[in-house]
Amino acid sequence: MYPVSTDEVRAILQAAARVGAPIVPFGAGSSLEGHVNAVEGGISIDFARMNRVLRLSVEDLDVTVEAGITHRELNKALANTGVHFWVDPGADATIGGMAATGASGTTTVRYGTMRETVRGLTVVLADGRLIRTGGRARKSSAGYDLTRLFIGSEGTLGVITEITLRVYGHPEAVSAAICAFDSLEGAVQTVITTIQLGIPVARIELLDEVMVDAVNRFSNLTHAVKPTLLFEFHGTSQAGVSEHATSVQEIAAEHGGANFEWATTTEDRARLWRARHNTLPASRAMRPGCHCWVTDVCVPISQLAECILETKRDLQASKAFAPLVGHVGDGNFHLNFVLDRDDPAEFNEVKALNHRLVQRAIAMGGTCTGEHGIGMGKIDVLEEEHGEAVEVMKAIKQALDPENRMNPGKILRL
Amino acid sequence: MYPVSTDEVRAILQAAARVGAPIVPFGAGSSLEGHVNAVEGGISIDFARMNRVLRLSVEDLDVTVEAGITHRELNKALANTGVHFWVDPGADATIGGMAATGASGTTTVRYGTMRETVRGLTVVLADGRLIRTGGRARKSSAGYDLTRLFIGSEGTLGVITEITLRVYGHPEAVSAAICAFDSLEGAVQTVITTIQLGIPVARIELLDEVMVDAVNRFSNLTHAVKPTLLFEFHGTSQAGVSEHATSVQEIAAEHGGANFEWATTTEDRARLWRARHNTLPASRAMRPGCHCWVTDVCVPISQLAECILETKRDLQASKAFAPLVGHVGDGNFHLNFVLDRDDPAEFNEVKALNHRLVQRAIAMGGTCTGEHGIGMGKIDVLEEEHGEAVEVMKAIKQALDPENRMNPGKILRL
């Protein structure tokens, strides 16, 4: 169904409650963990027609939107207002979907995830009741934090219909750079030192040599085929940005990073970031006709080099092809396994590699998913990662959705 | 009881479950909303003997502590490690208490509240089960965000025994300043513009003229008796800090702020911040023998000047004495009502003034509590502020503590 307002969503949920129908919210369909699959049938609520900006306050740096607007549509609407919404998961996901999965992305190291970005939600519950969580104040200690409970709940506790978001002014000065390293450890140590010193990077992304090769071929580029960091700096003046950029260049040089290439104009930056933006199609293009399976572990950054190196050894002992890209400032990286899904041997090998990767990340104090969510694919590893806490999640689910009609089959095995 | 470990807390909760005893966690007792009152009797768990630092990773900028350590004790333990824990609610509260109330303070505009600072918790549930929430990764989308659910739950869902916190490196350069304004609106507009431009202030605090007068008398200072802003800037270099400070000075000058007084040495900063740190005793000293009742509203900053001015008009029409201090970068301000609690007329007048203040804040899109929590004192206004959402909070409480033994009488009326 295609509601045009929160009231219509309420009417749908009230009707569904009467007949006992499951509810599956649908945004842009860009989720990677099967979140929008109607495994028990029921009603799909498509938010395509709820894509309005409801209000904006430039003074308070916040905006309220309907769940179906995508982040690119939102930023188009914000053009010429002086403010920008910064969470960017790559795909042009809807804000409702991003809230529901606790999304983040390349700018999270500076601007946070959806958890730090959402100030309040309008949610329709399983029985059709409407609640408003949070508010417009920058902080509050008024009762349980329902806002963050619904963020990342993947539609299993209720349907998010409206979201109040924090926005930021456009930075006065922006600079970007790319730098190749002799070793992966050197690249990761550069990241650790940069963050430890409090140098405010806005983006800091790692591509391994396999990914650089894929991107070079896909976009006809000539980057050195080595572990590579991409940086972006945002600041209130060119002098400030230059100071930070120079500091990072010095840190990189100490760890085997050379040939810094700078970009300060919008065009140069776009050219530099093309490498990052095309990682998914570039990965796929290495094996035409194949599919991509994207992993999503996140570990403490002190463990990041070891986690990646162990994983690469594991990959080398296999036949799998998996270029790597990571939001390394947060300790989060993705392998883009490119595989023939119809080849059971290949599929099982990738499955086993991914399983070992997740085990490795959890053993290092990390998580099976930094930003994609649990969906259908990671229900078992959620239990490995959180143990008894999953029982608390189930108790909350039972309290808010006793008939298990809200996006059933996701996050929890009931 | 004085447990020395999470295991002992489990044993206490298991015993309490058998006999049906209420549980009231106790930290430093610095809460302002009656959180530690044993309104139904039961067992008080005092965390005085659980005050160890359990682990520290300077590389990952995180530390795990027991709930009973205070933030000053923690920072003493962190001395010479290069990192610092930044949330400072004023009183030397325990980290467990600060997590339980969702505390924040003067540095929140830069370093966030406890919600952004806590990465994971160890919690003992009503029936003695132990869970670990969150983890050490900088972000995760693995299931419901139980960490933020327990932050601000004021001991009503379980007992927090261990906390993993984000810490930050010491800033390379620090500068502070004080500036008096012709009008309160000018001071607030300076705050709004500063934040809108993305100038990274680490602290930005407002004292009204009544408070400046009280502080001058208490500490024998000679600040101009006008609405006054105190600033602190943290940065990676003196040049960067100076640039930001100069920008703010220019913004202030446009809004009637003059006589900027700068402090870059540690001693000068301590002298400058003495005004802020002594606001509570200075308020009390204006009426010896009287008590302080501290309000805690937080509003969108676009509404802040109007909220304060309306409140001051209300105060002027009364006999109450209430100097004002605020974390204005977050839209949060406190009135320190100094009153004779034994005078029913005076008590009722303050109660009515506070009630109107809370109504005003909620009407402006704000909250009844920015950082102190609900406790016993704000249960009714929580319902006004959050309406039907309070029923969801009650359902969660019922799911996790069906016998209502966890800090009963706080947050919710059951």
Side-chain angles (χ1 to χ4, degrees):
Chain A
M1 305 189 78
Y2 297 84
V4 298
S5 68
T6 294
D7 276 347
E8 287 196 5
V9 175
R10 290 194 72 177
I12 295 168
L13 266 81
Q14 283 160 353
R18 281 194 296 272
V19 299
I23 293 287
V24 183
F26 186 92
S30 55
S31 141
L32 295 171
E33 296 294 344
H35 291 106
V36 298
N37 294 359
V39 285
E40 299 188 12
I43 300 166
S44 168
I45 301 185
D46 187 319
F47 282 90
R49 293 168 70 191
M50 284 183 70
N51 58 359
R52 289 176 301 170
V53 174
L54 299 175
R55 50 159 293 281
L56 165 68
S57 167
V58 172
E59 279 196 319
D60 293 315
L61 297 172
D62 67 9
V63 62
T64 302
V65 301
E66 290 179 325
I69 194 169
T70 71
H71 63 93
R72 286 192 198 129
E73 287 170 353
L74 171 56
N75 279 323
K76 215 172 275 179
L78 293 178
N80 306 317
T81 63
V83 298
H84 193 82
F85 170 72
W86 277 106
V87 183
D88 178 4
D92 195 16
T94 62
I95 300 295
M98 289 169 65
T101 51
S104 51
T106 57
T107 58
T108 289
V109 66
R110 169 72 179 267
Y111 296 99
T113 73
M114 288 301 277
R115 284 182 219 286
E116 292 81 37
T117 305
V118 173
R119 291 203 170 139
L121 298 170
T122 300
V123 179
V124 182
L125 301 174
D127 56 11
R129 275 181 301 158
L130 179 137
I131 61 166
R132 294 204 167 80
T133 74
R136 291 192 54 235
R138 285 170 67 105
K139 62 180 195 183
S140 172
S141 286
Y144 303 160
D145 189 347
L146 299 182
T147 304
R148 270 87 194 176
L149 181 64
F150 282 98
I151 294 175
S153 68
E154 305 183 4
T156 63
L157 297 178
V159 179
I160 297 169
T161 62
E162 296 171 15
I163 303 109
T164 297
L165 297 161
R166 186 170 180 170
V167 291
Y168 290 83
H170 282 284
E172 293 286 315
V174 177
S175 182
I178 187 166
C179 176
F181 287 78
D182 294 333
S183 72
L184 195 110
E185 296 94 319
V188 171
Q189 198 53 52
T190 299
V191 175
I192 292 177
T193 307
T194 299
I195 286 175
Q196 217 168 318
L197 291 176
I199 299 170
V201 281
R203 291 183 161 108
I204 185 163
E205 299 276 309
L206 172 72
L207 279 64
D208 77 347
E209 66 285 358
V210 185
M211 186 64 90
V212 174
D213 183 45
V215 165
N216 277 347
R217 289 165 194 262
F218 184 74
S219 298
N220 211 11
L221 298 168
T222 55
H223 294 299
V225 181
K226 289 182 171 188
T228 297
L229 287 179
L230 281 146
F231 302 91
E232 195 163 284
F233 301 90
H234 294 178
T236 50
S237 74
Q238 200 52 56
V241 162
S242 296
E243 183 200 305
H244 294 141
T246 306
S247 302
V248 172
Q249 190 164 0
E250 287 166 9
I251 296 165
E254 284 170 28
H255 295 101
N259 305 320
F260 252 78
E261 190 188 333
W262 289 102
T264 47
T265 69
T266 310
E267 296 70 33
D268 284 352
R269 280 205 309 278
R271 188 179 47 77
L272 214 58
W273 279 99
R274 205 189 307 157
R276 171 65 184 92
H277 290 138
N278 286 336
T279 49
L280 198 59
S283 301
R284 267 200 217 103
M286 297 294 280
R287 290 190 67 188
C290 285
H291 282 87
C292 231
W293 174 341
V294 185
T295 71
D296 184 36
V297 300
C298 185
V299 295
I301 52 176
S302 66
Q303 308 294 307
L304 185 59
E306 198 185 328
C307 186
I308 294 178
L309 291 172
E310 269 186 35
T311 303
K312 287 176 79 77
R313 280 193 291 271
D314 207 12
L315 284 172
Q316 273 149 17
S318 80
K319 281 183 264 175
F321 176 73
L324 180 151
V325 61
H327 313 308
V328 280
D330 304 310
N332 184 205
F333 69 91
H334 308 301
L335 294 177
N336 292 351
F337 279 108
V338 190
L339 75 161
D340 178 357
R341 284 194 301 200
D342 298 328
D343 178 338
E346 196 174 333
F347 184 82
N348 285 331
E349 181 171 49
V350 168
K351 202 171 154 184
L353 285 162
N354 180 50
H355 184 69
R356 286 198 293 278
L357 170 57
V358 166
Q359 302 291 319
R360 191 175 297 130
I362 293 175
M364 287 175 167
T367 177
C368 65
T369 173
E371 55 188 15
H372 296 165
I374 298 295
M376 300 172 63
K378 290 182 176 160
I379 292 179
D380 290 327
V381 283
L382 177 68
E383 295 190 357
E384 282 179 54
E385 185 176 325
H386 283 298
E388 191 67 29
V390 176
E391 297 307 311
V392 174
M393 297 181 198
K394 288 179 182 171
I396 292 168
K397 166 76 172 173
Q398 171 71 21
L400 299 195
D401 178 26
E403 297 168 346
N404 188 24
R405 290 187 298 101
M406 308 305 283
N407 210 5
K410 319 298 156 59
I411 300 187
L412 300 168
R413 181 166 291 118
L414 297 168
Chain B
M1 304 190 79
Y2 298 84
V4 299
S5 68
T6 294
D7 276 347
E8 287 196 5
V9 175
R10 290 193 74 177
I12 294 169
L13 266 81
Q14 283 161 353
R18 282 194 295 272
V19 299
I23 293 286
V24 184
F26 186 92
S30 54
S31 141
L32 295 170
E33 296 293 345
H35 292 106
V36 296
N37 293 359
V39 286
E40 298 187 12
I43 299 166
S44 168
I45 301 184
D46 187 320
F47 281 91
R49 293 168 69 191
M50 283 182 71
N51 58 359
R52 288 177 300 171
V53 175
L54 299 175
R55 50 158 294 281
L56 165 68
S57 168
V58 172
E59 279 196 319
D60 293 315
L61 297 173
D62 67 9
V63 63
T64 302
V65 301
E66 291 179 325
I69 195 170
T70 71
H71 62 91
R72 284 189 201 130
E73 287 169 353
L74 171 56
N75 278 323
K76 215 173 275 179
L78 293 178
N80 307 318
T81 63
V83 298
H84 192 83
F85 170 71
W86 277 106
V87 183
D88 178 4
D92 196 16
T94 61
I95 299 296
M98 289 169 65
T101 52
S104 51
T106 57
T107 58
T108 289
V109 66
R110 169 72 179 266
Y111 297 98
T113 74
M114 288 301 277
R115 283 182 220 286
E116 292 82 35
T117 306
V118 174
R119 291 203 171 139
L121 297 170
T122 300
V123 180
V124 181
L125 302 175
D127 55 11
R129 274 182 302 157
L130 179 137
I131 62 167
R132 294 205 167 79
T133 74
R136 290 191 54 233
R138 286 170 66 106
K139 62 180 196 184
S140 171
S141 286
Y144 303 161
D145 188 348
L146 299 183
T147 305
R148 270 84 193 179
L149 181 63
F150 281 99
I151 294 175
S153 68
E154 306 183 4
T156 63
L157 298 178
V159 178
I160 297 169
T161 61
E162 296 170 16
I163 304 109
T164 297
L165 298 161
R166 186 170 180 169
V167 291
Y168 290 83
H170 282 285
E172 293 286 315
V174 178
S175 181
I178 188 167
C179 176
F181 286 79
D182 294 334
S183 71
L184 195 110
E185 296 94 319
V188 171
Q189 198 53 52
T190 299
V191 175
I192 292 176
T193 307
T194 299
I195 286 175
Q196 217 169 319
L197 290 176
I199 299 170
V201 281
R203 292 182 160 108
I204 185 162
E205 299 276 309
L206 172 72
L207 280 62
D208 77 347
E209 66 285 356
V210 186
M211 185 65 90
V212 174
D213 183 44
V215 165
N216 277 347
R217 289 165 195 262
F218 184 74
S219 299
N220 210 11
L221 298 169
T222 55
H223 294 300
V225 180
K226 289 182 170 186
T228 296
L229 287 179
L230 281 146
F231 302 91
E232 194 163 285
F233 301 90
H234 295 178
T236 50
S237 73
Q238 200 52 57
V241 162
S242 297
E243 183 200 305
H244 294 140
T246 305
S247 301
V248 172
Q249 189 165 0
E250 286 166 11
I251 296 165
E254 284 169 30
H255 295 101
N259 305 320
F260 252 77
E261 190 188 332
W262 289 101
T264 47
T265 69
T266 310
E267 297 71 32
D268 284 353
R269 281 205 308 278
R271 190 178 46 76
L272 213 61
W273 280 100
R274 206 187 307 157
R276 172 64 184 93
H277 290 137
N278 286 335
T279 49
L280 198 59
S283 301
R284 269 200 214 101
M286 297 294 281
R287 288 190 68 189
C290 285
H291 282 87
C292 230
W293 173 341
V294 185
T295 71
D296 185 37
V297 299
C298 185
V299 295
I301 53 176
S302 67
Q303 308 294 307
L304 185 60
E306 198 184 326
C307 186
I308 294 179
L309 291 172
E310 270 186 34
T311 304
K312 287 175 81 77
R313 280 192 290 271
D314 208 12
L315 284 172
Q316 273 149 19
S318 80
K319 281 184 264 176
F321 176 72
L324 180 151
V325 61
H327 312 308
V328 281
D330 305 311
N332 183 206
F333 69 91
H334 309 300
L335 294 177
N336 293 350
F337 279 109
V338 189
L339 76 160
D340 178 356
R341 284 195 300 200
D342 298 328
D343 179 337
E346 197 174 332
F347 185 82
N348 286 331
E349 181 171 49
V350 168
K351 202 170 155 184
L353 285 163
N354 180 50
H355 184 69
R356 286 198 292 277
L357 170 57
V358 166
Q359 303 291 318
R360 190 175 299 129
I362 293 174
M364 288 174 166
T367 177
C368 65
T369 174
E371 54 187 16
H372 295 164
I374 297 296
M376 300 172 63
K378 289 181 177 162
I379 293 177
D380 290 328
V381 284
L382 177 68
E383 294 189 358
E384 283 180 53
E385 186 176 324
H386 282 298
E388 191 68 28
V390 176
E391 297 307 310
V392 174
M393 297 181 198
K394 288 179 183 173
I396 292 168
K397 166 77 173 173
Q398 172 71 22
L400 298 195
D401 178 26
E403 297 169 346
N404 188 25
R405 290 187 298 101
M406 307 306 284
N407 210 4
K410 319 298 156 58
I411 301 187
L412 301 168
R413 181 166 291 118
L414 296 169

